[in-house]
Amino acid sequence: MNDKISSLIAAQRAGYAMAQPFYTSDTVFEADRKLVFGQEWWLAGHSSQIPNAGDYLLFDILTDSIIIVRDAQGTIRAFANVCRHRGSRLCTDLQGNTRRITCPYHAWTYNLDGSLFSARLLDESHDRSDLSLHPIRIEVLSGLIYVSLSNDPPDFAPLRRRMEPVLAPFGLDRTRIAHRAIYPVQANWKLLVENYNECYHCTSTHPEFSRSHAIHMPENRVAPLNDAMRARSEECGVPVDYIDQIGSENRTGGCDHSYNRYALLDGFQTGSEGGQPLAPLLGSLTGYDGGASDAYVGLLNPMLIYCDHAVLYRFHPISKEASLQEIIWLVHEDAVEGEDYDLDRLIWLWDVTTHADKRIVEDNARGVAAQHYVPGPLVSMERFIQRFIEAYQTMLGREGEKP
Amino acid sequence: MNDKISSLIAAQRAGYAMAQPFYTSDTVFEADRKLVFGQEWWLAGHSSQIPNAGDYLLFDILTDSIIIVRDAQGTIRAFANVCRHRGSRLCTDLQGNTRRITCPYHAWTYNLDGSLFSARLLDESHDRSDLSLHPIRIEVLSGLIYVSLSNDPPDFAPLRRRMEPVLAPFGLDRTRIAHRAIYPVQANWKLLVENYNECYHCTSTHPEFSRSHAIHMPENRVAPLNDAMRARSEECGVPVDYIDQIGSENRTGGCDHSYNRYALLDGFQTGSEGGQPLAPLLGSLTGYDGGASDAYVGLLNPMLIYCDHAVLYRFHPISKEASLQEIIWLVHEDAVEGEDYDLDRLIWLWDVTTHADKRIVEDNARGVAAQHYVPGPLVSMERFIQRFIEAYQTMLGREGEKP
Amino acid sequence: MNDKISSLIAAQRAGYAMAQPFYTSDTVFEADRKLVFGQEWWLAGHSSQIPNAGDYLLFDILTDSIIIVRDAQGTIRAFANVCRHRGSRLCTDLQGNTRRITCPYHAWTYNLDGSLFSARLLDESHDRSDLSLHPIRIEVLSGLIYVSLSNDPPDFAPLRRRMEPVLAPFGLDRTRIAHRAIYPVQANWKLLVENYNECYHCTSTHPEFSRSHAIHMPENRVAPLNDAMRARSEECGVPVDYIDQIGSENRTGGCDHSYNRYALLDGFQTGSEGGQPLAPLLGSLTGYDGGASDAYVGLLNPMLIYCDHAVLYRFHPISKEASLQEIIWLVHEDAVEGEDYDLDRLIWLWDVTTHADKRIVEDNARGVAAQHYVPGPLVSMERFIQRFIEAYQTMLGREGEKP
């Protein structure tokens, strides 16, 4: 491991925020790129985006681009979007349908299983089976498509075993994307993740959210609400499992994951402005339990599942000091906009909340870059930041092992 | 000291311009940041900007932001604009009034003396007296507010002792800001400072300035004008002290400073287009001596004081190759725009002059970045550049001492 | 030589594309700057741009700017556009006429032979003959002006000896610039050069070009066309020499160069949309041979000469990941736009072709920056890329010799 980074990790004080270089140093960002972005699973899309054979979509992260394509047999596959000849991007449209993948430069052509179909004038001495597209590791979980840039990513199997049953009742594989929004944030990606990981700021920053969600309150006020919810959840067929396999809590040895159902405040059936439903019930649910499920697939892919819609988050690093926050709203695949749901009402809460988060995270980024920034103490409501710091710094510590 | 920088300093030829890396190297800019920007005093504002208790203004430099605030007792204080919790910027408006300073992120709140007033849910085990805002060194001299980012900045006391009396008759503490203008310049900050430090270029570049100011002329033509002025100065109550405590001339061991009164050309009572007064007399002056005072507070804060207005300069580094030149015009606090002075006429000279400087400094910056740039000989009228080079390179040489 | 670069060169596989760092690494770009851009000859302009004494034009490359000026005796000279005083750019207009070169900063003035004419107030102790403008190596070949930033550039004499006779019949010194176009390309300069060096991509990318030019075809189909052309060429006075002194083929020890005449497809007299002539015949040609001459002066300056116009290419590096592709169209100096040629028709082919190249080269740049990029095998039609790689990597290997 890089000396600078190992000293930084050694100097980390438990229960305190991270030091400046974690947010501003080129060395740390290079380590992030290799040991976090290059290893972790990323939410790359939803199976409903590519329903037919030959449908593809691109997932771009930093300098990499991945083709996610459904082959003739219906299997979803992923390949590096790089020609094996002289490296051109193969697909340039973000989404499309094709029988084969043809490079726009010299027309080398690949089958949807990645094998080289034709390369005009290529000398016969070359073994064409060595010239297949680079396969990318892919997992589809309840319709959610995850990829890793690593050939040896964190094991997905324990996560799948545990998360598939709790996600099943929501039928996310039978949803579709109602809306996507991208919020550019001038901040290191870790400040976005930390912001997402605590609701200590919700009281001062998110009046809209705090009106309906209880998690900005101290635990002793939240607990009775959760207790009351659980009975309703059972009745409606909503899982209330508590899974915490993140960071030091992760005993599976595989990919981090978590699931938790918590209560909305009284009168709120879903994350809407007034508490009323926003869209048809998801999956096999039979009613509204007035709760929301907070789930993670890997460290970087949180989602929030209400009874009638799900909200997926993506933190895209752009550079050490810029990121994109993306939000994807899922509704039941049969829901028709304008009839079954009103788009403005559906996206209202998380759009207004993310705009506010953008502002405070950018102020945070300006502050941590200052000479006089000193990491301060976390409060108990920020315990998931502490967990994130541990999990993240463990990843950076892996360098020796993953060359 | 960094090896590269010590070789550069060793290679500096007396009486010659500086070598390319002083204007283009990342290493030098990092040293500038630490040893110059991080040590020197900066003009941060004027006391008239924050007349009342709770009034504050921000002073930003590179990644740092400083809150300058007048407390309930009327004392002007300065703090790093960084929350002690997770580092958010505290104040985001450039100017305002507040009873306490509340962080927009998690609402940690500080008193105007910097002490922590409240931090919701913070564990009682933390000593709150350790969580005060970081105090910033501040000095107010004749209403001019100076700050240093260092905990151990150059001693201000000798400067104050010597400069307070010569500035007193101008009553700068009883002025107000008539106008501020910012000129972005694509050049290293040192090229702006060097440009300001010589009037060798005035003949070819500044016809407006050269019509009224004599300092572009050889000394033998300037001396008789100054002799003639001194009698008038005495009559009008204008100090004609000559103070030169800059660089190697500085025997005080403290902050560099200088003061010098020089004559305008015949017929010019102030720095106006036609020579006529521009605004009411400053301070206790009883008439126009037809001169201008050139003064420095530290190496980076020049000002020019006419009988009826003062012009303050700020050189803001943005990056190794970009800067902002800011100019602030002060007039008597009772002067009313449109009645006592005409703003366009007041700012005319230094606005037109700074626009011209921007152009030639940017051409200079392009040239010194070229492979074939070789530092050439300075002429006698550029002796203050030589002085600046010495003082600046001495600062860079301090690295061993200030870790 | 830099260790990183020598390992990269050692790892280069013959017959394969170059590895990622050649396109993305700062270290390689710095080596490019020093060992390629700082040594090679650059097309800087055409003599018709500066017909009269005192006419000048600027040639800018990265941080350098060169003044190309015709002196009172009619000789074309080149100087670094840097004042010997404090380094300001001297000329800021891209083109002009002047009796002497005067610095806009302090009015130091130079004669058109580069000697210092005047420097106001400069101490007499300085030897003014040491303060001449830095002369830049320049060669004018058939009206084409080439410069090198090096004091010891590749020897131009063997190239001149060999190329002057084959260029003479085209009378390029009696042409003028009909049009210039600049195409910004987000790609490392080497991807532009490689793209120019092969026509393997022409079939898929350039239908307009492929309709008239045979070089995208396998050699066995091209040879008979060339055989047929040669008789016509002789009749029309068009040289059909074959010169290949590039990279490992270069036995002269001097500057790389090449010349080759190849046939257009039947029915095409020149590079026009329909095959018809576009402009008056060049030089001493007596008719259309239906061919085009592909020539190089140095590794970076290709040109294509039809019977009635010539097309010059410039690859301007801007940064490691951005370049400008410039194209200059030359016609006979007596040709009058609108009468003797139609500008839209003249530039059509290479404008449409360069727009397409921009697109594919930018896709190539995105791809080679990806983690999963692996250099693939070149096909036989890409043999000039192989030659470029060899010549280029030999230049990088020179570091030990040229300090």
Side-chain angles (χ1 to χ4, degrees), chain A residues 34-111:
Chain A
K34 184 173 170 191
L35 298 164
V36 182
F37 314 150
Q39 295 293 325
E40 286 295 292
W41 291 95
W42 293 94
L43 175 66
H46 188 269
S47 58
S48 65
Q49 294 177 277
I50 46 173
N52 304 310
D55 285 350
Y56 69 86
L57 64 92
L58 300 188
F59 173 66
D60 291 354
I61 171 160
L62 290 168
T63 55
D64 287 287
S65 178
I66 308 300
I67 305 168
I68 318 276
V69 64
R70 192 181 290 270
D71 70 16
Q73 288 70 45
T75 304
I76 299 179
R77 294 167 175 273
F79 303 103
N81 189 5
V82 181
C83 186
R84 293 300 309 274
H85 174 219
R86 277 170 43 213
S88 176
R89 285 247 173 130
L90 295 161
C91 298
T92 55
D93 292 340
L94 287 177
Q95 217 159 335
N97 180 282
T98 189
R99 269 190 63 202
R100 291 198 182 85
I101 296 168
T102 298
C103 181
Y105 204 161
H106 304 91
W108 283 31
T109 299
Y110 302 87
N111 297 306

Side-chain angles (χ1 to χ4, degrees), chain A residues 286-316:
Chain A
T286 59
Y288 288 84
D289 69 344
S293 296
D294 182 36
Y296 269 87
V297 173
L299 200 68
L300 298 175
N301 305 292
M303 66 184 113
L304 199 53
I305 317 175
Y306 299 99
C307 289
D308 52 7
H309 69 292
V311 184
L312 313 177
Y313 295 81
R314 298 214 285 208
F315 309 107
H316 293 266

Side-chain angles (χ1 to χ4, degrees), chain C residues 11-33:
Chain C
Q12 176 69 45
R13 215 168 142 187
Y16 278 74
M18 285 194 279
Q20 181 177 79
F22 284 111
Y23 306 108
T24 61
S25 137
D26 289 321
T27 306
V28 170
F29 191 71
E30 273 315 297
D32 287 358
R33 180 193 288 261

Side-chain angles (χ1 to χ4, degrees), chain C residues 47 67 82 97 141 185 231 238 306 317 328 332:
Chain C
S47 57
I67 304 168
V82 181
N97 180 282
L141 178 77
V185 185
V238 176
Y306 299 99
I328 298 170
H332 193 286

Side-chain angles (χ1 to χ4, degrees), chain B residues 15-17 191 194-195 198-201 203-205 216 218 359-361 363-364 366-382 385, chain C residues 33 37-38 63-66 80-89 92 103-108 119-123 126 131 134-136 148-151:
Chain B
Y16 278 74
L191 293 174
E194 290 176 347
N195 174 266
E198 54 92 354
C199 212
Y200 182 34
H201 70 279
T203 310
S204 41
T205 313
H216 62 294
R359 182 176 45 76
I360 57 179
V361 170
D363 286 339
N364 196 6
R366 287 185 196 98
V368 299
Q371 280 183 54
H372 296 106
Y373 165 61
V374 176
L378 303 173
V379 307
S380 57
M381 279 186 71
E382 294 173 307
I385 291 187
Chain C
R33 180 193 288 261
F37 314 151
T63 56
D64 287 287
S65 177
I66 308 300
N81 189 5
V82 181
C83 186
R84 293 300 309 275
H85 174 219
R86 278 169 44 213
S88 176
R89 285 246 172 132
T92 55
C103 181
Y105 203 160
H106 304 91
W108 284 29
R120 191 170 72 95
L121 299 179
L122 178 65
D123 197 284
H126 292 291
L131 295 169
H134 184 94
I136 296 291
S148 167
L149 299 176
S150 172
N151 296 323

Side-chain angles (χ1 to χ4, degrees), chain A residues 341-394:
Chain A
Y341 66 95
D342 178 274
L343 187 59
D344 289 343
R345 292 179 58 220
L346 179 74
I347 69 170
W348 168 79
L349 176 60
W350 285 99
D351 183 59
V352 69
T353 299
T354 309
H355 274 294
D357 278 333
K358 169 186 164 64
R359 182 174 48 75
I360 56 178
V361 170
E362 290 183 341
D363 286 338
N364 196 5
R366 287 186 197 99
V368 299
Q371 281 182 52
H372 297 106
Y373 165 62
V374 176
L378 302 173
V379 307
S380 57
M381 278 186 73
E382 294 172 308
R383 65 186 175 284
F384 294 132
I385 291 186
Q386 174 61 25
R387 186 174 70 175
F388 167 70
I389 292 173
E390 284 165 15
Y392 162 69
Q393 293 187 351
T394 302

Side-chain angles (χ1 to χ4, degrees), chain C residues 217-240:
Chain C
M217 298 174 173
E219 271 176 82
N220 60 331
R221 296 183 53 193
V222 177
L225 294 168
N226 287 340
D227 292 341
M229 174 196 70
R230 273 185 211 106
R232 299 192 303 271
S233 302
E234 205 159 322
E235 205 177 296
C236 302
V238 176
V240 292

Side-chain angles (χ1 to χ4, degrees), chain B residues 51-328:
Chain B
N52 304 310
D55 284 350
Y56 69 86
L57 65 92
L58 299 189
F59 173 65
D60 291 355
I61 170 159
L62 291 168
T63 55
D64 289 287
S65 177
I66 309 300
I67 305 169
I68 319 277
V69 64
R70 193 181 289 269
D71 69 16
Q73 288 71 44
T75 304
I76 299 179
R77 295 168 175 274
F79 302 103
N81 189 4
V82 180
C83 186
R84 294 299 310 274
H85 173 219
R86 277 170 45 211
S88 176
R89 285 246 173 132
L90 296 160
C91 299
T92 55
D93 291 340
L94 288 177
Q95 217 159 336
N97 179 283
T98 190
R99 269 190 62 201
R100 293 199 180 84
I101 297 168
T102 299
C103 181
Y105 205 161
H106 304 90
W108 283 31
T109 299
Y110 302 87
N111 297 306
L112 298 188
D113 64 0
S115 59
L116 182 60
F117 173 74
S118 72
R120 190 170 73 97
L121 299 178
L122 178 65
D123 196 283
E124 292 302 326
S125 69
H126 292 289
D127 181 352
R128 290 177 181 229
S129 67
D130 280 350
L131 294 169
S132 300
L133 295 181
H134 184 94
I136 296 290
R137 293 289 300 267
I138 185 167
E139 297 281 350
V140 183
L141 177 77
S142 286
L144 305 171
I145 302 169
Y146 297 92
V147 297
S148 167
L149 299 176
S150 172
N151 297 323
D152 182 22
D155 186 2
F156 207 83
L159 180 159
R160 178 181 295 283
R161 221 158 24 234
R162 198 65 184 85
M163 293 290 280
E164 222 155 33
V166 296
L167 293 178
F170 298 108
L172 297 181
D173 52 334
R174 299 188 311 280
T175 58
R176 59 177 189 76
I177 294 176
H179 193 64
R180 290 169 63 168
I182 289 176
Y183 308 81
V185 184
Q186 280 295 319
N188 184 275
W189 66 278
K190 290 185 281 288
L191 293 174
L192 279 72
V193 174
E194 290 176 347
N195 174 266
Y196 185 82
N197 268 316
E198 54 92 354
C199 212
Y200 182 34
H201 70 279
C202 296
T203 310
S204 41
T205 313
H206 301 311
E208 305 83 1
F209 177 88
S210 300
R211 214 181 301 144
S212 45
H213 292 65
I215 56 171
H216 62 294
M217 297 175 174
E219 271 175 82
N220 60 331
R221 295 184 54 193
V222 176
L225 293 168
N226 287 341
D227 292 342
M229 175 198 67
R230 274 185 209 109
R232 298 193 303 269
S233 302
E234 204 158 323
E235 205 176 297
C236 302
V238 177
V240 292
D241 302 47
Y242 179 76
I243 303 173
D244 181 3
Q245 296 290 336
I246 293 209
S248 57
E249 299 300 318
N250 186 345
R251 318 282 174 211
T252 72
C255 182
D256 286 335
H257 55 284
S258 68
Y259 178 89
N260 174 38
R261 187 79 181 172
Y262 66 79
L264 301 174
L265 290 179
D266 284 344
F268 283 85
Q269 296 182 282
T270 189
S272 62
E273 188 162 6
Q276 310 89 332
L278 286 169
L281 284 169
L282 293 179
S284 58
L285 305 194
T286 59
Y288 289 84
D289 69 343
S293 296
D294 183 35
Y296 268 88
V297 173
L299 200 69
L300 298 175
N301 305 292
M303 65 184 114
L304 200 53
I305 316 174
Y306 299 99
C307 289
D308 53 7
H309 69 291
V311 184
L312 313 178
Y313 294 79
R314 299 213 286 207
F315 309 106
H316 294 266
I318 298 298
S319 70
K320 66 177 181 175
E321 51 221 354
S323 309
L324 300 177
Q325 170 73 73
E326 181 172 359
I327 300 193
I328 298 170

